[in-house]
Amino acid sequence: MACRGCCCCGFGHINEDNGRFLLLAILIILYLLCGAAVFSAIEQPKEKEAKERWQQKFDTFSQKYNLNVSDLRNFLRDYEEANVAGIRVDSIRPRWDFTGAFYFVGTVVSTIGFGMTTPATIAGKIFLIFYGLIGCAATILFFNLFLERLITVIAYIMKSFHERQLKRKGGLPPETRRGSGHSEVDSLAGWKPSVYYVMLILCVASIIISCCASAMFSPIEGWGYFDSLYFCFVAFSTIGFGDMVSSQKAKYENQGLYRFGNFIFILMGVCCIYSLFNVISIVIKQCVNWILRKLECRCCQRCQRKLFRPKRNAVMPGNVRTRRNISIETDGVYESETDGRRMSGEMISMKDFLAANKVSLAIMQKQLSETANGCPRQIGTSSRHNGFSGGIGALAIMNNRLAETSVDR
């Protein structure tokens, strides 16, 4: 039961989309607060330890070589600027040759943005703005089309597997064997897989790609296997911290093959993880809708208790004996208790009648059809002895209800 027009609850003046947006925003804020608390508790002691260790090394070095502390700090600031420009103590690959620039634009359009290479000139920064605007949009479109093609492939496999089973049992329809004139898209319309199946397939594919890529990165880059898995998630999810970046050394064994494998793994990983994020967002949306429905049900129960307070000479639904699983086939007419009966001299509107007796529109239409056809529903034997029976249409329904409420008067 929805409560979109109710003025007694917080969600009364907002529609379902706004309610979903507001609830999701609140959940994201709570998620951020929880994440900040966890990471602060885990990483802050390590940060303090590293800062103390660095300060100790700095003081020891300046005293050992009798260096001015201010001059040493200025020298380190110069190195930090050089580090931003791509200068390292150890030799690394050139940043702005063609292969380095290709790696850079790949991180731009895929929105990974490791940060180890950035344009230093004004012209490069201006060009990056327009280049990234078009490139990021085109890449996101490619990822969405990848997810659509994946769903189509899964649907085709499901359909083919089902037809093969029917063919083994000899139950394949003749028109399916001959092939109909419908397009391939129409033939797969009824075979769309569940969102949970797609999520499971993407999870398995992402894990396999990450494990294989980590097995390649770990010996070549000199990383631990867990660090390689961490890099794969950061890169594939386009978070791109830049603390660990592949293919940055000046020389590798089988360098061309390694860079090609690095490109393929990152491309496949980004496609799978991006599609997985889209599917997970659908599941999150379903959870948010479920929470909203629960809130609306509780809200409507409170509102009904406020709106239907006992009033003098009024028909009240508060003491009506309700039934479960009401449908068109079930009887929508309920018997009222003594304190819910209508006073003899009171007029009642159709709106109050429907609200008091919980008669749905579908049941109302069925009763109208029955009375118009000359076979109205018999409410009880007492109605025939109180002068209220008879009539056609809404008048007959009113007569039946009036007869029902006047049985014990």
Side-chain angles (χ1 to χ4, degrees):
M1 180 184 296
C3 183
R4 297 184 180 87
C6 175
C7 61
C8 300
C9 60
F11 293 94
H13 297 289
I14 55 178
N15 56 28
E16 185 178 354
D17 291 336
N18 290 335
R20 185 186 300 116
F21 174 79
L22 179 61
L23 179 60
L24 184 60
I26 294 173
L27 292 176
I28 290 177
I29 292 174
L30 293 176
Y31 191 77
L32 292 175
L33 293 175
C34 293
V38 171
F39 279 111
S40 178
I42 294 175
E43 297 295 336
Q44 192 174 25
K46 186 71 174 179
E47 180 189 20
K48 293 181 179 179
E49 181 183 349
K51 187 179 294 185
E52 293 174 357
R53 187 167 58 249
W54 165 251
Q55 187 63 41
Q56 184 179 1
K57 289 183 177 180
F58 181 86
D59 294 338
T60 302
F61 184 83
S62 60
Q63 292 174 5
K64 181 179 180 179
Y65 295 98
N66 195 20
L67 298 175
N68 185 277
V69 175
S70 178
D71 294 339
L72 182 58
R73 291 186 184 276
N74 291 331
F75 176 77
L76 293 176
R77 290 191 186 98
D78 293 338
Y79 174 73
E80 288 178 353
E81 294 179 359
N83 192 21
V84 172
I87 306 301
R88 299 290 188 273
V89 176
D90 299 326
S91 59
I92 59 173
R93 61 179 290 182
R95 294 296 178 91
W96 292 110
D97 62 346
F98 183 79
T99 56
F102 184 81
Y103 193 89
F104 167 73
V105 296
T107 62
V108 170
V109 299
S110 62
T111 69
I112 296 177
F114 285 124
M116 78 290 179
T117 304
T118 56
T121 62
I122 299 297
K125 294 177 180 179
I126 294 175
F127 179 72
L128 175 64
I129 294 174
F130 297 99
Y131 184 84
L133 184 66
I134 299 174
C136 292
T139 306
I140 291 174
L141 176 61
F142 173 79
F143 292 154
N144 291 331
L145 293 177
F146 172 82
L147 179 58
E148 292 181 5
R149 297 301 178 272
L150 177 63
I151 294 174
T152 302
V153 170
I154 296 174
Y156 180 79
I157 294 173
M158 292 172 58
K159 179 176 178 292
S160 300
F161 182 76
H162 181 72
E163 289 180 351
R164 184 171 298 178
Q165 283 187 331
L166 291 178
K167 195 172 183 180
R168 289 178 181 177
K169 297 178 181 179
L172 194 65
E175 58 272 12
T176 306
R177 298 173 185 174
R178 293 191 301 267
S180 58
H182 300 288
S183 63
E184 187 69 21
V185 176
D186 295 335
S187 64
L188 297 176
W191 293 94
K192 295 301 180 182
S194 170
V195 63
Y196 301 104
Y197 291 154
V198 178
M199 184 171 64
L200 178 61
I201 292 172
L202 287 173
C203 280
V204 173
S206 301
I207 292 173
I208 292 175
I209 294 173
S210 299
C211 291
C212 294
S214 299
M216 181 185 72
F217 290 136
S218 181
I220 297 179
E221 296 289 347
W223 300 335
Y225 190 79
F226 185 80
D227 290 335
S228 300
L229 285 174
Y230 162 80
F231 165 74
C232 288
F233 176 77
V234 170
F236 297 167
S237 61
T238 70
I239 296 175
F241 289 128
D243 53 341
M244 299 176 66
V245 183
S246 61
S247 187
Q248 294 302 301
K249 294 180 181 179
K251 293 293 182 180
Y252 289 98
E253 186 178 355
N254 299 322
Q255 181 168 294
L257 183 61
Y258 170 66
R259 288 182 176 176
F260 177 76
N262 180 46
F263 173 77
I264 294 299
F265 275 125
I266 290 180
L267 177 63
M268 295 173 59
V270 170
C271 287
C272 290
I273 294 293
Y274 182 88
S275 301
L276 182 61
F277 285 165
N278 279 338
V279 176
I280 292 176
S281 67
I282 297 174
V283 177
I284 293 176
K285 184 178 180 181
Q286 293 176 349
C287 296
V288 171
N289 290 338
W290 180 81
I291 296 174
L292 282 178
R293 285 195 297 269
K294 293 296 182 181
L295 293 176
E296 287 174 354
C297 289
R298 292 184 179 180
C299 180
C300 288
Q301 292 174 1
R302 292 197 303 268
C303 295
Q304 286 178 358
R305 288 195 294 267
K306 291 181 180 180
L307 292 175
F308 298 110
R309 289 176 179 172
K311 297 181 181 179
R312 182 176 177 80
N313 297 335
V315 178
M316 293 303 303
N319 296 322
V320 176
R321 291 196 299 267
T322 58
R323 300 178 186 177
R324 299 284 183 180
N325 300 326
I326 298 176
S327 63
I328 295 178
E329 300 300 327
T330 58
D331 190 0
V333 180
Y334 302 99
E335 296 181 1
S336 301
E337 300 292 343
T338 304
D339 56 353
R341 293 194 181 101
R342 177 177 173 269
M343 300 299 288
S344 59
E346 179 191 356
M347 298 297 292
I348 183 171
S349 65
M350 182 60 71
K351 179 180 179 181
D352 293 335
F353 171 75
L354 294 175
N357 297 280
K358 299 182 185 297
V359 181
S360 65
L361 180 60
I363 299 174
M364 187 76 171
Q365 291 175 346
K366 182 179 180 182
Q367 292 178 350
L368 288 173
S369 175
E370 289 176 352
T371 55
N373 292 330
C375 53
R377 182 181 303 210
Q378 301 296 327
I379 302 300
T381 57
S382 59
S383 63
R384 290 191 291 270
H385 302 289
N386 289 277
F388 291 103
S389 61
I392 296 175
L395 180 60
I397 300 174
M398 290 293 293
N399 287 339
N400 291 335
R401 288 301 298 146
L402 293 175
E404 185 180 2
T405 57
S406 61
V407 171
D408 299 327
R409 278 192 306 170

